[in-house]
Amino acid sequence: MGQRISSAKSSASKLWCFINPRFASSESFTPFYGNYEKLKSQEDSFNLQIHPYELQFPFELKKEISCSLQLSNKSDNYLAFKVNTPNPNKYYVTPNIGAVLPRSTCDIIVTMQAQKEAPLDMQCKDEFVIQSIDANHKRYHSKNGATTKDITPEMFNKESCYEVKECKLRVVYIAPPQLPSQVREGSDKDLKASNNKVEQQDTSLQIHPQELQFPFELRKQISCSLQLSNKSDNDVAFKVKTTNPKKYCVRPNNGVVLPRSTFDIIVIMQAQKQAPPDMQCKDKFLIQSIVANHKSYHSKNGATTKDITPEMFKKESGYEVEECKFKVVYVPPPQPPSLVREGSDEDLSSRASGFPDKARALISKLTEERNSAIDKYKRLEQELVWHLFRKFSFMDAYAHFIFNV
């Protein structure tokens, strides 16, 4: 099977060179799967996880176009980043330098200025470089690491004392999105539901999921997660409350979500000795949030975690406190993997002899279904291999005929 895949890749490369002769002698041309493997190995050695692997702009003439990148920090360290653009007059990056808190993400917007003419063959040679460093240091304002105002361009120079890691992202032009279809008629209920959805998105924090789902099991500690997303340009402080503090542990129960970033919260339910009636839970959670931009804070733009106090979320504090309630739902625990191993029909028959008639009949039926599925898979595999063989063999023969005429 591996030889067939290798042969198919080789034939695909020949077919591409036949369709695009200008790439036939180009040393810089590599198939897409090669670029993907290169980018994937590059990301594995990088401090931050980057999504997507390339900057995709839906290219249109005389129109300013934007695309986004998300930097994810899955470590327990503060990580600083800097985005280097190949053409500062053509691209604008917001923010181009900053810090990503532990277990959080940061969204970056890259804007391309309006272009008067399209590039040759819609190919772009621009390449961005994202640099990152570990920014845990005692001299910073935050207890554990740097804030955005502490990050300077000199920290990413080779002469600095930091270990600078780099990741390169290429620019790709893609087709612009299709125009939306004509608006269909709808009822007043549909319009109200749509308006309610828009109003929900306008809140300071977006929270996912909308309820806390615990796969309930007796005498076992269980956890689930919430993600807070801040789509605004302000620092947003939050606090998590529960109606049953002895039963649940929230980590962290307060903090700050930076602009255009996310924050993960882990909720742990202590082991329970007995199940509730009908598996219904009456516990509830409340998440309060406020905009925390104030001159008295250590950071220039807003608060850090140590600045957050319980008094800030009271009605008398002067802050506009937003609240969101969540209920707790018990769901079935994940099913264990199947213990049935692959074997011959004789093995299944011998094992089934010790079961009652109904069990033997069920095992016999499952055996027939399994054999039927295996036969169908083999037929499809053969048809696919034959189809690829005919297709690429025909194109190779046709290309050979054209080049030798």
Side-chain angles (χ1 to χ4, degrees):
M1 192 65 185
Q3 294 178 353
R4 293 172 184 164
I5 294 174
S6 178
S7 177
K9 287 182 178 180
S10 176
S11 300
S13 298
K14 292 178 182 178
L15 178 61
W16 178 255
C17 291
F18 168 70
I19 297 173
N20 298 271
R22 64 181 179 277
F23 291 123
S25 61
S26 175
E27 297 179 356
S28 61
F29 170 71
T30 54
F32 175 75
Y33 51 82
N35 283 337
Y36 174 80
E37 291 172 357
K38 181 180 178 181
L39 288 168
K40 190 68 177 71
S41 63
Q42 181 181 226
E43 188 200 40
D44 290 340
S45 62
F46 197 59
N47 289 347
L48 294 169
Q49 294 184 15
I50 304 174
H51 181 78
Y53 290 117
E54 56 190 14
L55 287 162
Q56 297 183 350
F57 289 96
F59 188 87
E60 292 184 64
L61 284 176
K62 300 175 182 178
K63 185 176 180 180
E64 191 178 79
I65 309 165
S66 298
C67 69
S68 63
L69 284 174
Q70 187 176 80
L71 308 182
S72 299
N73 179 8
K74 301 298 183 182
S75 71
D76 294 325
N77 299 323
Y78 283 64
L79 298 180
F81 69 89
K82 180 187 175 187
V83 183
N84 299 311
T85 172
N87 192 338
N89 296 327
K90 183 178 179 181
Y91 301 99
Y92 178 72
V93 183
T94 308
N96 67 332
I97 193 169
V100 188
L101 300 183
R103 303 183 307 281
S104 65
T105 63
C106 180
D107 292 331
I108 297 175
I109 304 298
V110 182
T111 304
M112 182 176 68
Q113 305 300 324
Q115 302 298 300
K116 295 181 180 180
E117 57 183 20
L120 182 64
D121 300 325
M122 292 297 289
Q123 300 295 320
C124 184
K125 297 182 180 180
D126 296 336
E127 196 172 59
F128 282 73
V129 177
I130 299 181
Q131 298 176 301
S132 73
I133 58 174
D134 192 331
N136 286 349
H137 201 282
K138 294 180 180 179
R139 68 181 180 85
Y140 296 126
H141 291 177
S142 176
K143 290 182 179 179
N144 299 320
T147 58
T148 302
K149 73 168 188 175
D150 298 314
I151 309 304
T152 62
E154 290 74 20
M155 297 168 65
F156 299 90
N157 294 338
K158 293 182 179 180
E159 297 79 15
S160 67
C161 60
Y162 297 94
E163 181 184 357
V164 182
K165 295 188 177 182
E166 295 185 348
C167 183
K168 296 180 180 180
L169 300 178
R170 64 173 185 169
V171 175
V172 177
Y173 294 149
I174 60 175
Q178 299 294 325
L179 293 175
S181 58
Q182 293 182 352
V183 180
R184 62 179 180 85
E185 294 182 359
S187 63
D188 294 338
K189 292 182 179 180
D190 294 335
L191 293 175
K192 290 180 179 179
S194 177
N195 290 336
N196 289 337
K197 186 176 181 181
V198 172
E199 289 176 1
Q200 184 181 3
Q201 292 177 349
D202 288 338
T203 57
S204 297
L205 288 179
Q206 295 182 17
I207 306 172
H208 180 79
Q210 295 297 318
E211 58 186 13
L212 286 163
Q213 296 184 350
F214 289 94
F216 188 86
E217 293 184 63
L218 285 176
R219 298 179 178 86
K220 185 176 180 181
Q221 190 178 76
I222 310 165
S223 63
C224 68
S225 62
L226 284 174
Q227 186 176 78
L228 310 182
S229 299
N230 180 8
K231 301 298 183 182
S232 71
D233 294 325
N234 300 317
D235 291 338
V236 177
F238 69 89
K239 181 181 179 183
V240 185
K241 294 181 178 181
T242 176
T243 56
N244 197 338
K246 294 183 179 180
K247 184 177 178 181
Y248 301 97
C249 175
V250 183
R251 299 177 181 171
N253 65 343
N254 64 61
V256 178
V257 187
L258 299 181
R260 299 182 302 279
S261 65
T262 62
F263 198 94
D264 293 332
I265 296 175
I266 305 299
V267 182
I268 301 173
M269 183 177 68
Q270 305 301 325
Q272 302 297 299
K273 296 181 180 179
Q274 58 184 10
D278 302 323
M279 292 297 289
Q280 300 295 320
C281 183
K282 297 182 180 180
D283 299 332
K284 292 182 180 180
F285 280 77
L286 175 69
I287 297 183
Q288 296 176 304
S289 63
I290 58 173
V291 175
N293 287 348
H294 199 278
K295 296 180 181 179
S296 63
Y297 297 129
H298 292 180
S299 176
K300 288 182 179 180
N301 298 322
T304 57
T305 303
K306 68 177 182 179
D307 297 315
I308 307 305
T309 61
E311 290 74 19
M312 297 170 62
F313 298 92
K314 294 180 179 180
K315 294 181 179 179
E316 303 81 13
S317 64
Y319 291 95
E320 184 179 351
V321 182
E322 294 187 1
E323 297 183 345
C324 187
K325 296 180 181 179
F326 291 86
K327 64 179 182 178
V328 175
V329 177
Y330 294 149
V331 296
Q335 297 296 323
S338 175
L339 298 177
V340 178
R341 62 177 179 86
E342 292 186 1
S344 63
D345 296 341
E346 294 179 358
D347 295 336
L348 292 174
S349 300
S350 61
R351 288 199 296 255
S353 59
F355 292 96
D357 294 339
K358 290 184 178 180
R360 286 199 298 270
L362 178 59
I363 292 175
S364 177
K365 182 180 178 182
L366 293 174
T367 303
E368 293 176 0
E369 292 179 354
R370 186 203 66 174
N371 293 337
S372 176
I374 292 175
D375 292 339
K376 186 176 180 181
Y377 170 79
K378 290 181 178 179
R379 286 197 303 270
L380 290 173
E381 184 181 24
Q382 291 174 356
E383 291 176 3
L384 176 61
V385 172
W386 177 245
H387 174 73
L388 291 174
F389 175 77
R390 290 182 60 189
K391 181 176 179 180
F392 290 117
S393 296
F394 171 77
M395 294 307 300
D396 287 342
Y398 182 72
H400 179 76
F401 172 76
I402 292 296
F403 290 124
N404 287 278
V405 170

